Amino acid sequence: MVLIIPAKNNPILPVTIRVKDIESIVNWFEQHQRSFYALGWSFFRNQSSIEELFYRAILQVEKELPRFKRSTTFEMWVLSILIQIRRELSLNKSLQASEESDYHQEIFHELHQLKEKEREVLVLTYINGLSKDETAQLLQVPAVQVKGFLFSGLQSLRNGMGYGEHYHGCKEYQKLYVDYLERNLERPAKINFEMHIYHCQDCQEDLAALQEVMVNFTEAIEKFSVPDGFMGNVKERVAQRESFIQQKKNRHKRNGFIAASVFVLVIFAGIFTGVFSKLYYTRTVENQVLRAFLQEDVGKRLKLEAESDGVKIKIKGAIADDVQTLIFYEIEDTNENNQFMINFDDGVFIEDEGEIMMANTYPRYLPPDIESDLNNKEKNIYHGKMSLRPLKEDTGTIKLKLNKVMKLKRDSSDSYVNMEPEEGEWNFEIPVTKQPSTEYALKEKIELEGVPVRLDKLIIAPTATILQYGINNEQPEKRLEMINFNDLEVNNKLLKADLYGNSYVHNQPDINWSIFQANFEPLFEKETNEVKVQFGSVYLSIEDHKTVKLDASKEYPQTFEYAGSTISIEKVEIGQPTTVIFSNHEIKNRAYESLHYYIETEQDENNSMEGDYEGVIVDKNGKEYDMNKITPKIYEEMEQPRHFFTVQSVKLPGNKVIPKSLDITGYNTTKYLDDIVEIETELIVKDKAGTR
């Protein structure tokens, strides 16, 4: 197999980019634009999205260039940045719409249907020209998996392009197809392979069909070209940014001269207006959370209003920082006694969201607040708040469009049950100013359940206090997936942990550590020198392999032992689809809460599965709750709940798929903690106002 676009992996940093020069970086990208564009097109098939990919990658390369390590090639390093940004952009649905183009090829349409890892491996290997070892290093997977993804990806391409899906080569020889076609087999293995192929009609047809799709893939790539003017658009955006930065620097110089003359006036104005604002907002703002922000001079009070079919929405305030943008609203039903809330995931649109907001973040989940006195005051008015992504710039206008709100339905006890959509049209232009945050280094290393943990950073932002921590992932047999905290003590104030506030940090500088952030209540103070962290529990993933043979001809139920428990296989039924059901209703002293497993079949080891489950939630005191009947209110009041799966039903789509075995690779479990760690802080970043 001939590589289509050979890699130009220079062993050292290109001469033209040895100095931090944005223009030389852009020129280097232009020289490599064809292979990089193909990588972007394989995932987005949308020119504006690929322009965004190039633009962000160029800025990231400029930013990270001083930290470039000569242990890898420059192109490999840039590819790692492109892949990371591509994954971040893929989270933004607005950047994934398909656009047709003159050079649209069927092969790219089918490539777009593959699993993410299959696409990445095919593109990096056959378009960017990396070796399997380099691809494995870049994607952080074993080299043997790269071969597997190449084969399964080519198989899927073959099926999608209509070259047939009914080939049944011998599995022990299928894994050699790619190496044979690329002429990488050692002579003894090659001879053995060719002898088998000569006598096996199934493998002959299977191999020929796979070779045909590789040839078509080659031809499609050879015809592939970058559209005219593409790099011109990217260059223009970079030039505009550089011009804006220069203008901003010039403004800061002018403002420095003005600042000294008004310093005393600002001091006195701050004293008097601060006292006045606390009294003023106490009397005029009903929402206590919004009032607290405004009294601390954080955020902006607003009076925006829109009405549709008797449903009136008022935007009452906006608070923005580096964590999120909080929008406070009030919805009034002027026709009936209904309460409505805004659901960010349904009916909410932001114009040019990708341009004005950070793409590598996700809005915080905020459950309905139906228990507050304010929302029980009137039956036709609901006061709520919505989390949006943080702004890219310090100021901006959010053009918010709503075409749906959710009607809250309560049961007889007034507990929230579910929501019904109510369509309409409400449009707002919300002016927002981003507030500064303060960051402290913690530099604390501990162990939890034998797993190394770093407490890295404390971020004090107006809308949340954030603890950033890292979990070492070099022990595959025992992985710590998540840490749950009880509270955080800062300046002798206890800040409660946000039940829904654990998040994964997209920028992961060290592959041996997974970085997370835990959110706590806001703290309207910026200075601190000591923090106390109280842990609640950890969620562990334990590697423990067991294979259980399945035979539909046997009578069920049948039992087997695993992790100190007896598990019952209730049913193995072959049909359309085939069903496998297994269960364990014993909860007390059970080592595992849920299992990691897959079902191997005679037709295909990688057969897809559809699953359903039953279970119970158990709190720290041992009280059990039905997993399917629990309400958000009950769940939020539970102390450190654990989720036990009791019945798992698996369906194998297809025509009479025959299961061979249930392969368990491990399980998850929760361990309760009562550790308290006291940490000294060190200011590492000044806030944007320049204060500590």
Side-chain angles (χ1 to χ4, degrees):
M1 177 68 179
V2 179
L3 299 181
I4 309 309
I5 301 177
K8 298 176 182 178
N9 291 331
N10 300 325
I12 59 172
L13 186 67
V15 174
T16 56
I17 312 181
R18 289 183 178 174
V19 181
K20 189 177 180 181
D21 178 1
I22 191 72
E23 184 178 351
S24 63
I25 295 172
V26 172
N27 291 337
W28 189 88
F29 267 74
E30 189 169 21
Q31 294 170 15
H32 296 75
Q33 61 177 307
R34 186 167 177 255
S35 60
F36 291 168
Y37 191 95
L39 187 151
W41 185 259
S42 301
F43 287 87
F44 297 116
R45 295 174 38 237
N46 174 314
Q47 182 171 327
S48 61
S49 301
I50 305 172
E51 286 180 7
E52 183 70 14
L53 173 66
F54 269 58
Y55 174 72
R56 294 191 188 189
I58 288 168
L59 301 189
Q60 191 70 17
V61 169
E62 181 196 29
K63 178 182 177 182
E64 299 291 336
L65 196 57
R67 289 185 286 276
F68 169 67
K69 297 178 180 179
R70 303 302 178 92
S71 58
T72 185
T73 65
F74 186 72
E75 185 170 356
M76 280 280 286
W77 180 66
V78 173
L79 276 169
S80 69
I81 291 174
L82 276 163
I83 289 170
Q84 178 63 32
I85 295 173
R86 195 278 304 161
R87 289 171 178 170
E88 293 172 0
L89 290 176
S90 294
L91 299 174
N92 190 338
K93 295 179 181 178
S94 66
L95 294 175
Q96 297 182 50
S98 174
E99 295 178 356
E100 296 294 327
S101 94
D102 294 336
Y103 53 85
H104 175 72
Q105 300 284 342
E106 181 193 7
I107 190 77
F108 278 97
H109 173 76
E110 297 303 331
L111 193 64
H112 200 73
Q113 312 305 313
L114 303 187
K115 296 176 181 177
E116 181 175 276
K117 278 289 189 291
E118 291 175 344
R119 263 186 288 171
E120 287 181 337
V121 166
L122 283 172
V123 171
L124 291 173
T125 303
Y126 294 144
I127 296 179
N128 294 98
L130 302 188
S131 69
K132 294 182 182 65
D133 288 338
E134 288 173 329
T135 300
Q137 176 188 343
L138 203 58
L139 299 181
Q140 299 175 20
V141 298
V144 67
Q145 284 191 17
V146 170
K147 287 187 179 181
F149 287 132
L150 279 175
F151 176 72
S152 62
L154 289 168
Q155 263 193 327
S156 300
L157 274 181
R158 180 183 68 184
N159 298 341
M161 294 176 67
Y163 297 115
E165 55 185 5
H166 304 296
Y167 297 101
H168 301 293
C170 302
K171 288 185 178 179
E172 62 180 299
Y173 288 94
Q174 280 181 331
K175 61 185 179 182
L176 302 176
Y177 285 179
V178 174
D179 282 338
Y180 178 75
L181 291 172
E182 292 180 355
R183 301 180 180 180
N184 290 329
L185 279 183
E186 297 291 336
R187 182 171 175 78
K190 179 175 179 291
I191 293 172
N192 179 62
F193 179 85
E194 290 177 341
M195 288 177 61
H196 173 80
I197 290 292
Y198 181 82
H199 295 286
C200 181
Q201 183 70 26
D202 286 343
C203 282
Q204 288 176 22
E205 295 173 353
D206 197 18
L207 180 63
L210 195 75
Q211 186 176 25
E212 186 176 0
V213 78
M214 291 176 78
V215 170
N216 278 273
F217 190 35
T218 301
E219 292 175 352
I221 298 304
E222 287 175 343
K223 295 176 183 178
F224 184 85
S225 62
V226 180
D228 294 337
F230 169 77
M231 277 307 298
N233 295 340
V234 176
K235 287 180 177 180
E236 184 177 353
R237 287 189 63 185
V238 173
Q240 289 175 349
R241 174 183 175 272
E242 292 300 298
S243 175
F244 174 80
I245 291 173
Q246 190 58 48
Q247 291 174 15
K248 197 171 183 180
K249 288 179 179 177
N250 293 338
R251 280 202 304 271
H252 285 170
K253 289 179 181 178
R254 291 197 302 270
N255 292 341
F257 293 106
I258 300 171
S261 62
V262 298
F263 179 75
V264 176
L265 179 61
V266 171
I267 292 288
F268 283 101
I271 293 172
F272 289 108
T273 56
V275 174
F276 172 77
S277 66
K278 289 185 184 294
L279 293 173
Y280 173 73
Y281 290 127
T282 299
R283 296 182 180 182
T284 59
V285 178
E286 288 183 285
N287 190 312
Q288 292 182 2
V289 179
L290 175 59
R291 183 196 308 160
F293 284 118
L294 296 176
Q295 287 177 334
E296 295 293 336
D297 197 25
V298 175
K300 193 170 188 178
R301 188 182 184 188
L302 300 169
K303 294 182 179 180
L304 306 176
E305 186 176 309
E307 185 173 348
S308 180
D309 295 329
V311 177
K312 184 186 296 184
I313 301 180
K314 298 178 181 178
I315 303 297
K316 311 284 282 187
I319 319 295
D321 55 25
D322 295 317
V323 177
Q324 62 183 327
T325 303
L326 275 181
I327 305 296
F328 290 82
Y329 64 85
E330 174 190 301
I331 303 182
E332 178 184 0
D333 183 357
T334 62
N335 295 329
E336 301 178 33
N337 283 331
N338 294 313
Q339 287 185 310
F340 297 93
M341 69 166 287
I342 299 173
N343 180 9
F344 173 80
D345 293 318
D346 197 358
V348 177
F349 303 92
I350 299 170
E351 188 175 318
D352 297 324
E353 181 179 9
E355 295 294 324
I356 67 171
M357 291 182 155
M358 301 294 292
N360 61 344
T361 60
Y362 197 78
R364 299 270 299 283
Y365 171 68
L366 301 174
D369 184 18
I370 64 169
E371 301 301 319
S372 68
D373 293 338
L374 190 57
N375 281 331
N376 283 282
K377 189 176 179 180
E378 297 177 84
K379 293 184 177 181
N380 67 326
I381 296 179
Y382 178 83
H383 299 260
K385 61 181 183 288
M386 171 176 54
S387 173
L388 305 177
R389 292 181 172 91
L391 293 176
K392 289 182 179 179
E393 305 295 339
D394 291 342
T395 60
T397 298
I398 299 173
K399 295 181 180 180
L400 178 67
K401 300 178 184 296
L402 308 173
N403 64 18
K404 195 181 296 181
V405 291
M406 310 305 290
K407 181 191 295 184
L408 295 172
K409 299 191 69 177
R410 307 176 185 231
D411 61 15
S412 56
S413 64
D414 268 355
S415 295
Y416 161 74
V417 179
N418 55 28
M419 299 182 287
E420 286 184 356
E422 185 89 4
E423 295 185 352
E425 186 176 344
W426 303 267
N427 299 323
F428 301 94
E429 291 192 5
I430 306 172
V432 179
T433 300
K434 191 159 64 171
Q435 302 294 318
S437 303
T438 306
E439 298 186 5
Y440 291 90
L442 301 182
K443 300 178 182 178
E444 185 77 16
K445 292 185 178 180
I446 59 174
E447 279 196 0
L448 297 177
E449 292 296 312
V451 179
V453 173
R454 295 188 328 224
L455 302 178
D456 294 332
K457 189 186 298 183
L458 176 71
I459 304 171
I460 301 177
T463 65
T465 306
I466 297 174
L467 177 67
Q468 182 164 305
Y469 61 95
I471 300 174
N472 187 269
N473 54 32
E474 295 179 282
Q475 306 175 67
E477 68 282 356
K478 185 178 185 181
R479 298 191 308 275
L480 202 163
E481 305 285 2
M482 186 179 296
I483 301 174
N484 295 310
F485 299 87
N486 281 341
D487 50 50
L488 194 68
E489 185 177 329
V490 184
N491 295 345
N492 297 318
K493 295 180 180 178
L494 281 181
L495 309 177
K496 293 181 180 178
D498 184 345
L499 183 62
Y500 308 101
N502 253 320
S503 60
Y504 180 78
V505 176
H506 289 277
N507 183 22
Q508 300 284 330
D510 186 344
I511 63 173
N512 296 322
W513 291 82
S514 299
I515 311 301
F516 296 86
Q517 289 184 342
N519 288 263
F520 299 82
E521 293 175 305
L523 177 72
F524 297 117
E525 299 176 19
K526 294 182 178 179
E527 293 188 6
T528 185
N529 55 21
E530 192 173 83
V531 176
K532 289 183 181 179
V533 181
Q534 182 170 10
F535 296 91
S537 62
V538 291
Y539 190 60
L540 296 164
S541 182
I542 308 297
E543 188 175 289
D544 185 6
H545 292 266
K546 186 177 182 69
T547 298
V548 181
K549 298 295 181 182
L550 300 176
D551 186 348
S553 65
K554 292 184 178 180
E555 291 187 4
Y556 289 92
Q558 293 190 11
T559 62
F560 65 91
E561 298 298 314
Y562 179 76
S565 295
T566 301
I567 299 175
S568 175
I569 301 178
E570 305 289 347
K571 181 179 182 181
V572 177
E573 183 177 87
I574 297 175
Q576 295 181 342
T578 291
T579 302
V580 178
I581 300 175
F582 54 96
S583 67
N584 179 7
H585 293 274
E586 293 296 326
I587 301 300
K588 190 175 182 181
N589 299 324
R590 199 169 95 179
Y592 71 90
E593 293 162 31
S594 60
L595 299 174
H596 306 158
Y597 66 91
Y598 63 94
I599 293 179
E600 185 176 348
T601 68
E602 290 187 1
Q603 284 83 347
D604 186 353
E605 293 180 359
N606 298 315
N607 199 76
S608 61
M609 300 188 303
E610 297 175 3
D612 197 6
Y613 60 85
E614 299 174 17
V616 296
I617 297 179
V618 182
D619 66 15
K620 191 175 182 180
N621 300 315
K623 185 176 179 180
E624 296 184 12
Y625 303 80
D626 188 323
M627 192 180 288
N628 297 317
K629 296 180 181 179
I630 196 167
T631 66
K633 178 186 176 183
I634 295 174
Y635 185 78
E636 289 169 13
E637 292 176 351
M638 292 174 64
E639 185 179 3
Q640 300 181 12
R642 302 176 69 185
H643 303 65
F644 287 88
F645 287 13
T646 55
V647 179
Q648 293 187 253
S649 176
V650 183
K651 294 181 179 179
L652 304 173
N655 183 17
K656 296 184 178 180
V657 175
I658 299 175
K660 290 170 56 180
S661 62
L662 169 64
D663 293 342
I664 301 175
T665 59
Y667 59 87
N668 289 114
T669 188
T670 299
K671 298 290 185 182
Y672 294 120
L673 307 173
D674 55 7
D675 305 59
I676 297 177
V677 179
E678 191 171 312
I679 315 164
E680 291 186 359
T681 65
E682 177 186 343
L683 186 67
I684 56 174
V685 179
K686 291 185 178 180
D687 64 27
K688 292 178 181 177
T691 58
R692 295 179 72 86

